[in-house]
Amino acid sequence: MGMPTELKQLELFIEKFRYQPSAAGLLRIAGWTFVFLLLVSFTTTPQQEVPTVSFVTMNTTASDLQWVRNDLDYFPSDNILNIAWVSGSSINLGYNAEFQFLPQYVNQLLSREAGIASRDFVYNLNARRILDTYTMVQDALLRKPDAMVLVINPFWVFNSKAVFYKKNIFNQGAKLWWNATDWLWQFTLTAPANHLFNLIGRHIPVLAKRRHYIKKFREKSRALLGFSLIPNSAMVQGEFATATYKLSQPLQFWLLYQSLGSKGEPLITPGMTAKTWQLAAISLADTDSSSWPVEIMHKMLTKIKHSGIPTLLYVAPVSPDLQGLGARHGYNAVLNAMDDFKREYQNDKLRFIVRLPEKVADTITFKDYLHLKGAGKLPAYLSRHLSEIVSIK
Amino acid sequence: MKSYLLEILIGLFFASTLVLVSLYSGIDAPFIYQGF
């Protein structure tokens, strides 16, 4: 075996376990792996839990191989309206505000004004590209919400770059893109680990329903050994909330690598503020009919329309300070493209809000061109539209 | 016989690794499941 002289004795031991598998042997190994995974899966029966709070985040952590929570296959079927929100940082209202996030405010208004009890399942990803949005929408549609709110960030929506940086929503793509329109992406946009843990793993309970197994293994090992074999999270809840809402894998990529310019020039320069960054981002919007973002938008809207799920799609409002700047041209191109999509796809159940009425827009205040300081009449406006579309039979 | 036994052990090793990696990657997730 060519081991050093000092370790020659070890060769005799290793020789006993030496094994060179044939092709059939490799298949048997794969088969046994599958058998043992199923055996572990049968040690307990996963139960679907009903969330006890009305604001539930769907994305987990950057370290999570599966990225999206997997203890819910379907949203609970009870008297409470399940609303999926696919959104980004434009729904943040600030930690000191009465409501931290826009969906919570809308939730309260729906209850108070329209008598509708609702529960929000929020897919929140900052600086998401249209491919991220499409993936999250597909995940939401699979779980059959009673309604959906899709927030379009005008600064990023038509950006034709998708960021595959560390683990991100595309982990779920292997499962979600296995359909007639997206299957080719399996060969270009997914990694082997995604296939293992998401495409195949969704059928193996111990990989698909980890929360349940983590809980059961902890209980059993504590009962048998006196301690848990699976440690608790090192994070305390406050840290985790912050960590999750800083979960911005696409954004981190731009921050770290600072390379966005179409000519390879750095887009993000030292001393850049959120405003200058937003202006630079919108300059890269590609609304040409042959562009990838436009193609993905068509796919996404087709799927939403065919699902029949009442959906409110709105373009996040921007600060009036954007008026008179060069970026206004890029912003208008985004709005015009959204108007085209509205003409093609709007119906009773899929409602577009591309521009807010002035009496609503004028009440909103901003920290920069996009992020809200004061939501003004926006929550009431959204709540009214949402209550209308869910009431349509 | 030895090769068959080794295949079973290798399968067990792979399955254990997959389960451990998957479960450990979800450890921080529990806070999420409670919502806010």
Side-chain angles (χ1 to χ4, degrees):
Chain A
M1 293 173 73
M3 295 193 83
T5 321
E6 307 79 34
L7 298 174
K8 279 287 179 196
Q9 290 299 314
L10 212 54
E11 276 189 12
L12 297 171
F13 175 75
I14 292 172
E15 196 59 44
K16 291 186 184 9
F17 297 95
R18 197 170 173 185
Y19 167 62
Q20 189 147 0
S22 58
L26 287 173
L27 284 174
R28 284 191 293 269
I29 289 170
W32 281 115
T33 305
F34 185 66
V35 162
F36 285 120
L37 284 173
L38 287 181
L39 281 175
V40 172
S41 295
F42 291 147
T43 55
T44 181
T45 310
Q47 306 290 334
Q48 167 137 326
E49 294 180 47
V50 178
T52 53
V53 293
S54 60
F55 184 93
V56 180
T57 52
M58 294 303 291
N59 30 305
T60 54
T61 65
S63 62
D64 186 350
L65 291 166
Q66 293 171 347
W67 202 88
V68 174
R69 66 182 296 161
N70 53 23
D71 57 325
L72 296 174
D73 286 327
Y74 296 95
F75 294 132
S77 53
D78 49 21
N79 295 333
I80 303 177
L81 200 75
N82 297 310
I83 306 176
W85 280 71
V86 179
S87 53
S89 54
S90 64
I91 66 161
N92 295 357
L93 300 178
Y95 292 115
N96 297 323
E98 185 190 351
F99 300 101
Q100 270 189 42
F101 304 104
L102 197 55
Q104 293 168 312
Y105 204 155
V106 172
N107 178 291
Q108 199 207 50
L109 288 168
L110 275 175
S111 168
R112 204 172 65 200
E113 311 292 330
I116 298 173
S118 62
R119 194 193 272 131
D120 300 311
F121 295 89
V122 183
Y123 295 78
N124 217 41
L125 184 67
N126 295 337
R128 64 199 151 93
R129 304 298 186 277
I130 190 68
L131 183 59
D132 303 304
T133 307
Y134 179 43
T135 310
M136 290 190 282
V137 163
Q138 284 181 294
D139 191 275
L141 292 178
L142 208 65
R143 298 168 198 257
K144 297 184 177 23
D146 298 310
M148 187 160 69
V149 179
L150 175 49
V151 186
I152 298 292
N153 182 330
F155 293 94
W156 290 117
V157 62
F158 291 111
N159 184 293
S160 56
K161 294 171 173 53
V163 179
F164 293 84
Y165 175 59
K166 296 187 179 177
K167 297 171 192 74
N168 53 41
I169 186 60
F170 305 122
N171 293 353
Q172 287 293 80
K175 175 177 90 179
L176 299 165
W177 298 338
W178 200 245
N179 60 63
T181 53
D182 306 324
W183 65 276
L184 278 174
W185 289 351
Q186 297 287 359
F187 303 103
T188 51
L189 302 182
T190 53
N194 303 149
H195 294 133
L196 191 60
F197 287 103
N198 292 301
L199 184 61
I200 301 169
R202 65 188 289 213
H203 301 292
I204 301 172
V206 70
L207 299 183
K209 305 283 180 200
R210 291 159 312 149
R211 164 164 161 76
H212 181 83
Y213 286 88
I214 286 170
K215 264 176 73 177
K216 284 295 168 191
F217 289 161
R218 276 200 184 118
E219 284 165 17
K220 285 185 178 169
S221 61
R222 270 202 200 104
L224 281 172
L225 304 168
F227 62 89
S228 168
L229 280 175
I230 302 179
N232 291 324
S233 168
M235 286 193 198
V236 297
Q237 187 152 12
E239 283 176 0
F240 186 82
T242 311
T244 305
Y245 281 90
K246 282 183 177 165
L247 175 69
S248 311
Q249 296 291 46
L251 203 60
Q252 284 178 18
F253 177 83
W254 304 127
L255 284 169
L256 287 175
Y257 293 101
Q258 300 187 5
S259 174
L260 242 188
S262 58
K263 293 176 189 171
E265 292 156 1
L267 177 67
I268 300 166
T269 50
M272 200 172 212
T273 63
K275 279 187 166 180
T276 46
W277 190 358
Q278 285 160 358
L279 291 180
I282 205 164
S283 69
L284 294 175
D286 186 355
T287 56
D288 188 88
S289 59
S290 63
S291 71
W292 205 36
V294 169
E295 188 188 317
I296 294 176
M297 185 67 89
H298 278 295
K299 280 185 190 232
M300 182 170 74
L301 293 173
T302 302
K303 287 216 162 86
I304 294 173
K305 198 169 177 177
H306 284 164
S307 73
I309 289 170
T311 300
L312 181 64
L313 183 156
Y314 77 92
V315 178
V318 302
S319 165
D321 293 348
L322 202 58
Q323 281 281 14
L325 294 173
R328 190 79 198 175
H329 174 73
Y331 177 62
N332 285 337
V334 167
L335 293 189
N336 291 339
M338 292 309 300
D339 282 334
D340 291 341
F341 286 117
K342 178 178 175 177
R343 269 189 288 277
E344 187 170 349
Y345 291 97
Q346 177 157 280
N347 63 14
D348 283 349
K349 292 202 171 170
L350 173 50
R351 186 176 293 192
F352 285 68
I353 300 172
V354 180
R355 295 170 186 73
L356 293 176
E358 259 185 54
K359 61 181 182 196
V360 176
D362 287 347
T363 62
I364 302 172
T365 54
F366 296 88
K367 290 178 190 168
D368 44 51
Y369 293 128
L370 176 78
H371 297 108
L372 301 175
K373 194 191 289 183
K377 292 185 179 164
L378 179 63
Y381 185 72
L382 295 175
S383 148
R384 183 168 64 75
H385 278 279
L386 204 44
S387 66
E388 283 171 12
I389 57 172
V390 300
S391 307
I392 295 168
K393 298 288 172 219
Chain B
M1 186 62 189
K2 180 186 91 169
S3 59
Y4 291 135
L5 281 172
L6 280 172
E7 283 161 10
I8 295 171
L9 284 174
I10 292 167
L12 179 60
F13 171 72
F14 283 167
S16 316
T17 307
L18 287 171
V19 169
L20 281 172
V21 167
S22 177
L23 295 186
Y24 270 72
S25 79
I27 282 175
D28 286 332
F31 284 122
I32 274 292
Y33 295 125
Q34 291 154 32
F36 291 93

